[in-house]
Amino acid sequence: MERYWNKEIECASREEMKKLQSERLVAQVRYVYDNVKYYRDLMDAKGVKPGDIRGLEDLCKLPFLSKADLREGYPYGLLARPLNECVRIHSTSGTTGRRVVAFYTQHDVDMWEDCCARAITAAGGTPDDVCQVAYGYGLFTGGAGLHGGSHKVGCLTLPMSSGNTERQIQFMRDLGATILCCTPSYAAYLGESLHEMGLTPADIKLKAGIFGAEPWTEEMRRSIEKSLGIKAYDIYGLTETSGPGVAFECSAQKGMHINEDNFIPEIINPETGEPLPDGEVGELVFTSITKEAFPLLRYRTRDLCVLSREKCSCGRTLVKMSKPKGRSDDMLIIRGVNVFPSQIETVLIANGYSPNYLIEVDRVNNTDTLDISVEMKPDQFSDKVRDMQLQEKSLASAMKTMLGINPKMHLVAPKSITRSEGKAVRVIDRRKLHD
């Protein structure tokens, strides 16, 4: 029996949802125009007034916002509420340029935690569960979002944050954690560590995991599910719109339901900005229609995915987004070939390797180079150089079949690639591709 956190919203008819979205959009556009000079200037430059937006069908008239706009407006340029009405900030984990800082009123926090409660409930969470939150806390949104959602559901919440793996597993066992929330790369690491301690999934009570904040493949999902004895659920979000909980997986696991009462999704052609129909791959754009402090209209996420309104077996009517297929901005173009890290991960897991890897791209004598370092599992290590070279050669061949280009493979010792508390750093691009 499928459980819902807010059945009235999660199972609303398309007509009911469209009516709610249109009403909220019209009010939000007027609110943003009146309170955010930065966006008002963008609207005026495009010749659009709040009165021109009468419903969902007029959404495409509005100008886009990008991360560059948010950096330009740093720190207060897109704030729509007085600071004394804001209760929290979070910030992106970006490492270049100005960080993006998002503001929250108490209403915004409540809305966000409500979205996360829907995700936990969809993963089977009830007040009887023990929810271990091993996302990083602090400026990163992961820990705070799932922590608040867990409280709303009524779970016993373990605010572990990330790291200290031995303690994570001890508390997991001693307190009987049933739901784990963390990045997929850390979940994989916990699974590895559990087995290295001589334990099996039978020694813990976990039943479900809610994993997000970084790309992961179906192969990685199955690997995590096997190592921890759980059902692994995806969750999607971004700091700019609130954090995790913008979209979440249900028991059907055929895409993530978007919380449409708070976020209107669009798919656009990343080159032209033109809206694309459901079923076509394009860039995901979100409009926040309930945010107070930091309301973004037509924010370009740069994530590439597909929207689907096909009927879902879980009973939810919320539109679904596919797992992001890459990003329109950090997709790697190497020797003219489009390369996504998810493709590399698929090959590694299919060939029995760890999903912990590092992609290094450089340009030598005007030619792109692609080096991929991959952690070996203990049983894959050999002290014979020839054996290691053969393994690297075989893996390079599999990569070439998938990518269309020949990378240089480097098999490295277990646990030698740094684990991240937030988003795993998978790519280092040393090419100077821009002035």
Side-chain angles (χ1 to χ4, degrees):
M1 180 72 179
E2 189 78 27
R3 294 183 68 255
Y4 309 99
W5 175 251
N6 184 340
K7 187 173 183 179
E8 186 178 338
I9 288 293
E10 294 175 63
C11 300
S13 70
R14 291 312 311 165
E15 292 71 27
E16 291 170 329
M17 183 57 70
K18 282 183 178 179
K19 183 173 183 290
L20 178 64
Q21 287 181 321
S22 286
E23 291 171 354
R24 289 181 171 179
L25 174 65
V26 169
Q28 188 77 322
V29 170
R30 167 56 70 183
Y31 168 73
V32 170
Y33 189 86
D34 289 345
N35 291 281
V36 182
K37 181 182 183 301
Y38 190 101
Y39 199 76
R40 180 166 65 247
D41 290 345
L42 289 179
M43 285 181 64
D44 287 347
K46 198 173 180 185
V48 184
K49 298 296 182 186
D52 299 327
I53 310 301
R54 297 172 183 170
L56 274 181
E57 64 280 2
D58 296 319
L59 183 60
C60 60
K61 296 177 181 178
L62 293 169
F64 292 113
L65 274 176
S66 69
K67 187 165 280 192
D69 290 308
L70 272 54
R71 286 182 174 135
E72 188 176 328
Y74 174 90
Y76 301 127
L78 283 107
L79 188 61
R81 273 286 205 265
L83 269 180
N84 64 6
E85 293 183 26
C86 298
V87 298
R88 193 191 300 173
I89 68 159
H90 282 284
S91 177
T92 59
S93 54
T95 56
T96 59
R98 291 175 173 173
R99 298 175 71 94
V100 171
V101 176
F103 297 82
Y104 301 72
T105 63
Q106 187 57 51
H107 164 273
D108 296 336
V109 172
D110 291 341
M111 177 275 287
W112 176 25
E113 292 179 349
D114 189 79
C115 288
C116 289
R118 295 179 193 180
I120 292 169
T121 303
T126 73
D128 295 324
D129 281 294
V130 178
C131 187
Q132 184 160 333
V133 183
Y135 282 110
Y137 281 65
L139 289 173
F140 180 61
T141 55
L146 273 303
H147 179 104
S150 174
H151 273 214
K152 284 214 167 186
V153 173
C155 305
L156 174 62
T157 308
L158 307 185
M160 300 295 294
S161 194
S162 53
N164 202 330
T165 301
E166 193 172 311
R167 186 179 64 187
Q168 296 272 6
I169 293 173
Q170 180 192 337
F171 270 64
M172 190 182 290
R173 296 185 71 200
D174 293 351
L175 295 171
T178 53
I179 298 175
L180 174 66
C181 303
C182 62
T183 61
S185 58
Y186 192 56
Y189 185 55
L190 283 169
E192 289 173 22
S193 301
L194 184 79
H195 289 267
E196 286 170 5
M197 292 168 69
L199 302 172
T200 72
D203 295 304
I204 57 176
K205 293 185 178 179
L206 285 184
K207 65 178 185 180
I210 300 174
F211 309 129
E214 64 190 21
W216 55 308
T217 58
E218 286 303 309
E219 292 88 350
M220 190 171 183
R221 185 208 297 269
R222 301 303 165 219
S223 175
I224 292 170
E225 287 182 334
K226 184 178 179 182
S227 68
L228 291 173
I230 61 172
K231 185 163 182 172
Y233 294 80
D234 207 347
I235 190 168
Y236 176 88
L238 52 164
T239 302
E240 298 92 322
T241 54
S242 64
V246 171
F248 62 92
E249 267 190 331
C250 63
S251 57
Q253 295 190 317
K254 292 182 178 177
M256 290 174 277
H257 290 284
I258 296 172
N259 285 309
E260 292 182 89
D261 53 321
N262 297 303
F263 311 101
I264 299 174
E266 299 173 82
I267 295 291
I268 64 166
N269 180 318
E271 301 297 326
T272 66
E274 290 299 310
L276 296 173
D278 289 353
E280 288 199 26
V281 178
E283 181 182 339
L284 183 61
V285 173
F286 277 120
T287 294
S288 301
I289 48 176
T290 56
K291 285 285 292 288
E292 292 181 340
F294 200 67
L296 303 184
L297 306 182
R298 300 198 86 196
Y299 179 69
R300 298 185 61 161
T301 68
R302 297 294 182 181
D303 284 324
L304 299 173
C305 70
V306 174
L307 294 183
S308 170
R309 288 181 171 81
E310 289 182 6
K311 187 175 181 180
C312 186
S313 61
C314 78
R316 290 176 180 82
T317 53
L318 299 170
V319 65
K320 287 194 287 190
M321 61 176 278
S322 67
K323 184 185 287 287
K325 301 175 183 297
R327 288 178 60 83
S328 63
D329 57 350
D330 64 8
M331 172 184 74
L332 293 165
I333 302 178
I334 303 171
R335 298 174 222 154
V337 177
N338 294 347
V339 175
F340 292 107
S342 59
Q343 294 174 301
I344 290 169
E345 185 173 295
T346 295
V347 173
L348 294 179
I349 294 179
N351 285 274
Y353 288 90
S354 161
N356 287 298
Y357 59 93
L358 181 66
I359 302 164
E360 296 178 85
V361 185
D362 209 339
R363 184 160 286 173
V364 179
N365 297 327
N366 296 317
T367 300
D368 292 339
T369 62
L370 174 60
D371 288 71
I372 305 172
S373 298
V374 183
E375 283 188 359
M376 291 177 294
K377 296 175 181 176
D379 61 350
Q380 292 169 328
F381 179 77
S382 170
D383 56 6
K384 295 180 180 177
V385 175
R386 177 66 178 159
D387 289 347
M388 299 300 292
Q389 289 174 336
L390 286 173
Q391 286 188 61
E392 289 176 342
K393 186 176 179 181
S394 174
L395 195 51
S397 177
M399 286 292 177
K400 185 177 181 182
T401 299
M402 168 66 83
L403 305 175
I405 56 175
N406 208 359
K408 190 166 186 182
M409 301 301 306
H410 307 274
L411 293 175
V412 300
K415 300 186 181 179
S416 60
I417 294 176
T418 305
R419 266 64 171 180
S420 173
E421 295 189 359
K423 297 184 182 182
V425 177
R426 301 292 195 198
V427 180
I428 297 175
D429 193 341
R430 296 190 176 88
R431 297 172 297 178
K432 290 183 171 55
L433 301 179
H434 306 285
D435 293 332

